[in-house]
Amino acid sequence: MILRAILAPALAMLLCAAAPPVSFTPVSPEYAEAAGEYRALWQAEGDRIVAAMEAATGMAFPPSPVDAIVSEGRPMASFDGRTIRLRASYSNAYKKATLAHEIGHRLTFILPRTAGVDDHRLLYLFLYDVWTDLYGREFADRMVSIERRIGPAYEAAWTWALAMTREGRQARLAALRAQPTASHTGGQQPRV
Ligand SMILES: [Zn+2]
């Protein structure tokens, strides 16, 4: 435990936080403005978002490009996280939260999936801490309360993750990182 406490910050500093290129494409002209808002958010904060995720997970963020489609469809990430869908009509604050959420799935797809720990439990092992580091605890708590209302699976996953301390979540992530990576067979499941 002590060794990990010493190594984790050093590892975070070694990781090179370069945001991958993300192309934002509106499905139709009416979503062009929203796509522009997401694009501006990523340009302004992509490096910070990726740095916060690398610090919270101890993982290097994959550098490969991500395609983001902006529409009024339900937000989701494709099975490998390289294609994400973002909802046009969200408020600016929830756009920020959603962008980090969907981009974060790029990392959950790399982590081994163990019994009882689905994609959102994996994501919430670091998303709350990433939101807090980026935008403060009040923002993180507000976004959690919104996501809890998406459905029972999200509610259960947030309750599970937030029952642990930040150190507890990081220890859980460290244990998962130490396991061999399992191949995921996710398919195009909606992941809000
Ligand atoms: Zn999701």
Side-chain angles (χ1 to χ4, degrees):
M1 285 299 280
I2 292 165
L3 186 62
R4 186 159 66 220
I6 293 165
L7 286 177
L11 177 63
M13 285 171 70
L14 283 173
L15 297 169
C16 177
V22 182
S23 60
F24 295 87
T25 309
V27 291
S28 64
E30 63 188 298
Y31 304 123
E33 189 180 337
E37 287 174 40
Y38 277 115
R39 190 178 300 117
L41 263 179
W42 188 247
Q43 278 170 359
E45 306 194 20
D47 285 342
R48 282 181 73 217
I49 293 170
V50 165
M53 286 195 183
E54 292 190 337
T57 61
M59 297 165 70
F61 201 92
S64 44
V66 174
D67 290 322
I69 295 156
V70 179
S71 70
E72 265 312 284
R74 190 178 178 182
M76 54 159 271
S78 68
F79 73 97
D80 63 357
R82 289 190 196 200
T83 302
I84 61 177
R85 196 167 69 189
L86 300 164
R87 183 164 275 171
S89 63
Y90 286 151
S91 68
N92 190 262
Y94 201 55
K95 276 191 174 78
K96 280 185 187 178
T98 302
L99 188 54
H101 176 130
E102 298 304 335
I103 286 284
H105 278 304
R106 194 82 182 85
L107 291 175
T108 67
F109 288 121
I110 299 170
L111 286 163
R113 195 182 303 189
T114 53
V117 184
D118 60 16
D119 275 331
H120 282 103
R121 290 183 186 211
L122 289 174
L123 182 69
Y124 297 164
L125 285 174
F126 60 90
L127 186 61
Y128 181 80
D129 303 312
V130 166
W131 281 344
T132 301
D133 291 349
L134 289 171
Y135 309 121
R137 174 149 298 189
E138 192 189 328
F139 176 96
D141 287 338
R142 197 151 41 95
M143 297 307 143
V144 168
S145 70
I146 294 172
E147 287 209 355
R148 281 181 182 279
R149 295 198 289 268
I150 296 168
Y154 294 84
E155 166 88 39
W158 272 123
T159 298
W160 176 85
L162 296 182
M164 289 176 255
T165 61
R166 182 176 185 137
E167 290 69 30
R169 289 189 287 274
Q170 298 220 313
R172 189 92 191 212
L173 269 173
L176 286 166
R177 283 201 315 270
Q179 290 181 21
T181 304
S183 62
H184 285 170
T185 52
Q188 293 271 329
Q189 297 165 23
R191 295 183 165 91
V192 173

